[in-house]
Amino acid sequence: MAGDNVLVLVRHGQSEWNKLNLFTGWRDPGLSEKGVEEARTAGRLLKAEGYKFDVAFTSALKRAQHTLQLILEELGQTGLLTYADQALNERDYGDLSGLNKDDARRRWGEEQVHIWRRSYDVKPPGGESLKDTAARTLPYYDAKIWPEVKAGRNVLVSAHGNSLRSIVMKLDNLSPDEVTKLEIATGVPIVYQLDDEGRVRSKRILEA
């Protein structure tokens, strides 16, 4: 059941480019039909648990914003105070953006593409590493999101696999090696309760 000082993280539902196995990054495709349903399911799961939110944060990309909108519709909280910022955008995949992942493997090799996707501090050509993503996401978390949680407000964040991995890395005290193995599913709420120092009291993953 819902409690006080709640932070909920949700990766956007499946996008059209996720479905096509394309590197997306800062490109801005919409949600697929499956992604729309994943977002609505996330909202229904949160509603069934009794959650209500005081403020929401999302990225500057429409797949995360649409996911948030659908969740809030299910919660009956459309019009909730929401902040959108590119600090929460997905990792920028640079020259890989828009490419099919299998085509990229054929072009650069399986091992090189795996390094770009899964290492902590190696960036693809023209893009960001996960370390780079964390360097913009975590200061935003500390300055904007955490103060709302600390003030006793329930906070909902709809963002992306890598921006959320950065936040989970901080909350769960993961090493750079551990975070590279972390998978965050689309449209599945991760519910944290934090103490007054920002440490994790409890963590739950709400799955249908």
Side-chain angles (χ1 to χ4, degrees):
M1 189 57 198
D4 295 329
N5 307 328
V6 169
L7 172 66
V8 175
L9 308 177
V10 184
R11 181 183 175 192
H12 62 80
Q14 183 195 65
S15 74
E16 288 289 354
W17 282 22
N18 291 146
K19 186 173 73 173
L20 296 171
N21 198 34
L22 305 181
F23 285 101
T24 310
W26 282 44
R27 303 287 183 88
D28 208 14
L31 296 178
S32 67
E33 285 185 23
K34 179 182 177 184
V36 168
E37 186 51 39
E38 286 176 337
R40 291 200 178 281
T41 298
R44 289 192 284 266
L45 287 168
L46 289 165
K47 184 176 183 178
E49 294 278 335
Y51 289 106
K52 286 285 185 183
F53 295 94
D54 301 297
V55 63
F57 293 88
T58 189
S59 77
L61 300 170
K62 65 187 177 188
R63 60 192 183 274
Q65 295 178 4
H66 191 195
T67 296
L68 177 61
Q69 172 197 334
L70 294 168
I71 290 172
L72 294 177
E73 284 178 8
E74 294 295 332
L75 289 168
Q77 284 201 272
T78 55
L80 182 71
L81 176 64
T82 299
Y83 299 96
D85 198 288
Q86 68 180 26
L88 294 175
N89 277 17
E90 178 57 291
R91 173 184 170 190
D92 184 355
Y93 278 104
D95 294 352
L96 301 183
S97 299
L99 292 180
N100 182 282
K101 291 172 185 173
D102 292 330
D103 291 342
R105 291 185 189 101
R106 281 190 284 271
R107 180 171 171 183
W108 285 288
E110 179 93 33
E111 185 177 355
Q112 181 61 67
V113 172
H114 181 77
I115 289 169
W116 284 334
R117 291 188 69 197
R118 285 294 173 230
S119 63
Y120 181 66
D121 55 4
V122 179
K123 60 184 78 179
E128 293 180 306
S129 65
L130 178 56
K131 184 178 181 180
D132 295 330
T133 308
R136 58 176 163 81
T137 300
L138 291 181
Y140 185 80
Y141 173 85
D142 290 338
K144 302 294 184 181
I145 298 173
W146 163 241
E148 297 287 347
V149 181
K150 187 175 184 181
R153 289 184 268 277
N154 287 353
V155 178
L156 175 60
V157 179
S158 174
H160 304 266
N162 284 293
S163 52
L164 293 179
R165 283 164 85 201
S166 303
I167 296 173
V168 171
M169 180 182 182
K170 175 187 178 77
L171 295 176
D172 291 3
N173 291 313
L174 300 180
S175 69
D177 185 53
E178 288 170 328
V179 78
T180 61
K181 300 179 178 69
L182 174 68
E183 295 288 346
I184 296 180
T186 52
V188 177
I190 305 170
V191 181
Y192 284 97
Q193 283 190 284
L194 305 178
D195 68 17
D196 289 340
E197 303 301 317
R199 294 183 296 258
V200 177
R201 275 201 187 120
S202 68
K203 175 184 180 180
R204 297 174 60 214
I205 296 175
L206 300 186
E207 295 187 271

